[in-house]
Amino acid sequence: MGGADNLPGFEELSLGQLLETKTGYNVFIDNDANMMGMGEWIYGAAKGCSDIVFLTVGTGIGGALIINNELYGGYKNRGTELGHIIIRHEGLPCSCGSRGCFEAYASATALIDRYRFQNPDALESADGKYIIECYLQQEPAAVAAMTYHFDHMAAGIAGFINIFSPQKIVIGGGISEAGDFYIRELTKK
Ligand SMILES: [Zn+2]
C-alpha cells in the first residue's frame, strides 16, 4: 500500500475496505487505466479476447495489459506504464521526471504543445478537439501537429505489437472520439 501524489492525506489508507463497509458492495481498487482495460475487456471493444493492449490518450497516456486472460500489472502492480517507455533518448521532458517518453510525444497535451509550436498565434483555448477540427479543414499547422502525433503514436503502438502480439489494441480517452479517420490514419503509418 502507498499513496497518490495528487491526493494528499490518502497515504496508507485502506480505501477499498472503507468503501466496502460503507456501501456493502464488493470493492476493487486499481489504477484508472487498468480499470478502463478491464471494462473494455469484459463489456466493450475487446470482449472475448485473451491478449490486449489498452491505451488511454489524454493529458498523459495510460496503459493496461491483458495477457492470457489476466490483467497484468507486473511486480507489486507497478508496471504497464506504457506512456513512459522512452521513444527518444534525451528527448522532451515528461511529467514523470524522465525525458523522451511516449507520452511526451503522443498525448493530447503533446499534440496541443506541437500545434502551438507550429502556430505561435494559436488561440489560448486551442484544445485537442479544436485542433482536430482544424486538421479536418486542412489547416497547415493542425495537419503538421496531427502528422507528428500519428507518427509517434504509430511508433509506440508498433513497439507494443512487437512485444505483446495482442489481438487488439484498444485506444480510449478523449482523442479516441475524434472519428474513424483517427484509426485510419494510424493504420496507414
Ligand atoms: Zn514519462
Side-chain angles (χ1 to χ4, degrees):
M1 206 164 51
D5 293 338
N6 48 1
L7 292 172
F10 274 62
E11 286 88 16
E12 305 297 328
L13 185 71
S14 306
L15 188 59
Q17 227 161 42
L18 273 174
L19 289 171
E20 205 162 287
T21 313
K22 288 272 178 204
T23 63
Y25 291 113
N26 286 323
V27 177
F28 179 82
I29 303 256
D30 205 317
N31 85 42
D32 52 352
N34 281 351
M35 291 297 88
M36 171 263 183
M38 290 284 279
E40 292 290 351
W41 179 39
I42 297 169
Y43 302 108
K47 208 173 165 178
C49 295
S50 59
D51 296 85
I52 318 143
V53 171
F54 300 95
L55 297 171
T56 60
V57 184
T59 312
I61 294 184
L65 293 173
I66 302 288
I67 299 179
N68 200 16
N69 282 310
E70 273 184 38
L71 181 68
Y72 179 80
Y75 181 63
K76 293 195 172 179
N77 202 26
R78 288 176 182 163
T80 67
E81 292 290 351
L82 304 184
H84 300 283
I85 60 159
I86 293 172
I87 59 168
R88 281 204 193 181
H89 178 60
E90 298 294 335
L92 293 173
C94 180
S95 59
C96 71
S98 187
R99 300 186 77 94
C101 293
F102 179 41
E103 168 174 311
Y105 289 88
S107 63
T109 311
L111 171 67
I112 296 165
D113 288 348
R114 191 68 190 177
Y115 180 67
R116 289 192 190 287
F117 170 79
Q118 298 288 344
N119 178 10
D121 301 325
L123 296 171
E124 196 54 46
S125 60
D127 58 3
K129 199 171 167 222
Y130 172 82
I131 296 166
I132 286 165
E133 278 167 20
C134 294
Y135 167 81
L136 292 172
Q137 289 163 22
Q138 297 294 302
E139 187 206 272
V143 170
M146 284 300 287
T147 303
Y148 181 89
H149 171 82
F150 285 133
D151 285 345
H152 289 90
M153 182 57 76
I157 288 175
F160 299 136
I161 290 172
N162 283 330
I163 303 169
F164 299 110
S165 180
Q167 291 155 290
K168 278 192 180 175
I169 304 261
V170 178
I171 301 176
I175 215 156
S176 66
E177 288 158 24
D180 292 343
F181 80 91
Y182 186 84
I183 299 297
R184 252 195 331 268
E185 287 302 315
L186 268 184
T187 313
K188 273 194 227 160
K189 294 285 174 186

